[in-house]
Every structure is written in C-alpha cells, then in structure tokens.
Amino acid sequence: MFKEDKFEYLVEEAAKLNKTNTKNIMSTNRQRFIVGARNMVYAFLLENHWGCTKIGRAFGKNHASVIHGCRNHENDYKTFDYYRKTYDNLVPVSYTHLRAHETSLHL
C-alpha cells in the first residue's frame, strides 16, 4: 500500500515527468497534459489500494472525478504511446523511492 506521507513525492514525480509543477496537478487546471498527469496519480493510487474517496480528498475533488480520471487513464494508456511511456516511468520511480525509504527505516 502506498503510504500517505509519500503522496507529495508522487505528485512531484508526476509533475517532473509531465513537465509541469505540483501546483498545476493539484489545481483545477484543465489543460490536457495536466489532466493526464493528475489521472496518472489517480490511477497509481487506486492501484495501490487507495479508495476513490481518499484520492478525491487528497486532491480536493469528489470520488466521481477520480473515477472519471481513472477511466480516462485507462483509455489514454491504451491509446497514446507517450502517455504509456510516461506512466510506466512514474511507477518504478515511485516504488523505488518507497522501498528505499522503508529499507532505511528498518536498518
């Protein structure tokens, strides 16, 4: 499960990979690539056992917005090569950081 204290790090990494900033991802900005970056974070968190309501609260959105974003993520992942590559780069970075932090805590 992805821990809450790693949420900011995940948003920062998504921002870097999508060439934007965390403020844009957390905003109501509707530019296509920013919405895509936000949807990547939604999907990652949902895959890591965060519920739609919890994700929505973290972004100041309702659960329906999260569901819609995850559906768009699925479609974009299947359709757009650049989107798939960006998301596939986000996932290992997030897990690597999480694992490194957990390992250092256990030493």
Side-chain angles (χ1 to χ4, degrees):
M1 180 160 176
F2 196 76
K3 299 188 178 170
E4 289 180 37
D5 63 338
K6 301 293 170 223
F7 175 77
E8 287 182 27
Y9 173 79
L10 176 64
V11 175
E12 287 172 12
E13 288 304 310
K16 284 180 204 172
L17 289 169
N18 286 281
K19 298 176 177 66
T20 187
N21 59 54
T22 57
K23 184 179 176 183
N24 282 336
I25 291 178
M26 297 302 295
S27 74
T28 57
N29 190 312
R30 299 291 301 150
Q31 289 180 327
R32 175 81 173 117
F33 76 97
I34 293 171
V35 171
R38 191 177 305 128
N39 292 345
M40 288 179 192
V41 177
Y42 290 169
F44 179 86
L45 292 171
L46 194 62
E47 290 169 6
N48 284 275
H49 311 290
W50 280 40
C52 291
T53 302
K54 183 176 181 178
I55 296 167
R57 277 193 214 118
F59 279 90
K61 310 236 183 263
N62 62 40
H63 73 283
S65 296
V66 175
I67 292 168
H68 180 74
C70 288
R71 285 183 184 151
N72 285 340
H73 165 79
E74 289 175 16
N75 185 53
D76 291 349
Y77 189 86
K78 292 174 189 172
T79 307
F80 302 112
D81 191 46
Y82 74 90
Y83 187 95
R84 183 173 38 262
K85 287 178 183 175
T86 304
Y87 183 74
D88 288 348
N89 284 325
L90 173 65
V91 173
V93 167
S94 300
Y95 280 119
T96 300
H97 180 78
L98 178 63
R99 288 288 167 224
H101 182 72
E102 287 177 348
T103 301
S104 67
L105 288 176
H106 292 33
L107 295 176

